[in-house]
Amino acid sequence: MQKVTLNTLNEMKKQGRKIACLTAYDAGFARLLDQASVDVILVGDSLGMVLHGENTTLKVSMNDMIYHTRIVKAGCRRALIVGDMPFMSYATPAQALGNAARLMSEGGAEVVKFEGGAVVADTISHLDRHGVPVCAHLGLIPQSVHKLGGYHVQGRDKQTAKQILNDAKLLEKAGAAMLVLECVPHQLAGEVTGVLSIPVIGIGAGAQCDGQVLVLYDILGITERQPRVSKNFLESETSIQAAIEKYVNAVRVGEFPAAEHQF
Ligand code: KIV
C-alpha cells in the first residue's frame, strides 16, 4: 500500500491517470473508501447537509470539521485526506492559518480546502508559506449560496467564464496545491484543467478534469434527491463496497461522468 500524497496526484495528472475522490465523514466509511483505492477522501462541509439535515453548509463549525476529520483519519491509511474549512473560518489570513493548523494538528487533515476566487489569494499564499497545502474551490461555491441566489451552474456566460479561468490561474500562482471545480460548463473545466499544472478535481464539471469528486451519500442513494451531477452506484450492486469500487473504476476508465452528468 502506497500512501497517496500531493506528489502522487501531480504525477497522476502528468500521466493522464484519473483521480478518484469521494467525501466521507467517519472512520467506517473511510475504511471502505480506502479499501476501494479512493485516492482522495474529502471531509466536506457537505456534512452539514447530508449528516445534519440542513439545506446549506453554513451552520457547520470548526469543531464539527475537526471532529469528523479526526474520525475519518482513524479509518484511513492510504488516501490523501482533504479537510474543508467551514463558512467564515478563513475570513483573514491570520484566522485561516490558526484554523487550518487546528484542522491539521487536531483533525489530521493533510490538505485544507476553502472556497472563493481572488479574495482568498493572499490567504492561500500565507498558508502555503507556512507549509499548509490548500485546495482551492471555484465555480459553484456552496458557502456563498445566498450571494449566488441558489445552487446554480456558474460560468455560463463569457464574462463569468473568464473570471473563473483568471481566478484559477491566480490561485495556482498564489500557491494552491489543487483545485475543486464545481458545476461549471465542461468546456470551461477542460480549459482550466489544461491551463493549470495542479490537479483539478471536478464535480458537475465534465470528464476533462484530472479527477472527480462526489458526495458519498449521493452515490449510495441515501440523500433525498439525487443531484443531476451524481449517480446512484449502489442501485446495480449488492454491497456498499462494490458500489464504491464501481465508482472508482468508472472514474479511472473515464465512464463517469457521462454527458448527462455535465453541463
Ligand atoms: O463539501 C463538500 O462535500 C464539497 C464537495 C461537494 C466538492 O465541497
Side-chain angles (χ1 to χ4, degrees):
M1 184 217 58
Q2 182 104 30
K3 172 82 181 105
V4 178
T5 65
L6 281 169
N7 294 345
T8 318
L9 303 188
N10 286 326
E11 203 49 43
M12 288 175 82
K13 173 165 180 133
K14 275 194 208 131
Q15 295 172 355
R17 285 161 52 216
K18 296 288 182 189
I19 300 163
C21 172
L22 276 174
T23 67
Y25 316 104
D26 65 35
F29 277 120
R31 195 169 303 116
L32 294 186
L33 265 55
D34 232 25
Q35 280 164 9
S37 297
V38 167
D39 301 302
V40 179
I41 297 182
L42 169 63
V43 190
D45 65 350
S46 51
L47 68 85
M49 299 170 83
V50 298
L51 293 188
H52 301 169
E54 301 288 341
N55 57 8
T56 72
T57 57
L58 302 184
K59 285 191 189 165
V60 176
S61 69
M62 202 61 228
N63 284 343
D64 290 334
M65 291 314 305
I66 291 168
Y67 169 76
H68 285 283
T69 306
R70 184 164 54 75
I71 62 175
V72 162
K73 177 83 175 175
C76 171
R77 300 284 167 269
R78 178 185 171 273
L80 182 77
I81 299 182
V82 178
D84 240 342
M85 301 272 285
F87 182 56
M88 285 302 148
S89 67
Y90 51 94
T92 66
Q95 183 202 23
L97 185 61
N99 282 324
R102 288 192 65 205
L103 198 54
M104 293 180 85
S105 61
E106 296 173 43
E110 292 155 350
V111 175
V112 302
K113 174 168 92 56
F114 47 80
E115 302 176 4
V119 70
V120 297
D122 286 346
T123 302
I124 291 177
S125 300
H126 189 59
L127 267 59
D128 183 50
R129 279 197 302 274
H130 285 84
V132 176
V134 176
C135 176
H137 185 157
L138 290 172
L140 171 54
I141 44 175
Q143 291 174 12
S144 298
V145 59
H146 297 309
K147 184 164 182 213
L148 298 176
Y151 297 104
H152 307 302
V153 182
Q154 302 296 306
R156 278 206 193 268
D157 58 77
K158 255 191 176 164
Q159 197 191 333
T160 54
K162 193 157 187 252
Q163 181 73 57
I164 289 170
L165 181 61
N166 288 343
D167 282 347
K169 290 184 198 162
L170 180 71
L171 299 187
E172 174 175 72
K173 205 164 166 219
M178 51 195 287
L179 171 69
V180 164
L181 205 45
E182 179 164 355
C183 291
V184 300
H186 66 98
Q187 300 91 337
L188 172 60
E191 196 178 351
V192 171
T193 305
V195 116
L196 297 196
S197 48
I198 57 173
V200 177
I201 312 295
I203 172 165
Q208 288 178 59
C209 296
D210 300 309
Q212 300 294 325
V213 57
L214 287 178
V215 170
L216 177 66
Y217 281 36
D218 292 339
I219 73 156
L220 300 179
I222 298 172
T223 24
E224 247 182 326
R225 211 169 45 86
Q226 185 68 246
R228 189 194 134 177
V229 301
S230 191
K231 178 178 165 178
N232 183 339
F233 282 87
L234 185 56
E235 226 159 36
S236 54
E237 296 299 325
T238 52
S239 72
I240 289 175
Q241 186 65 30
I244 295 167
E245 280 167 13
K246 190 167 186 188
Y247 164 74
V248 171
N249 187 54
V251 170
R252 293 231 205 283
V253 301
E255 272 172 16
F256 183 87
E260 68 260 32
H261 308 115
Q262 63 188 30
F263 301 101

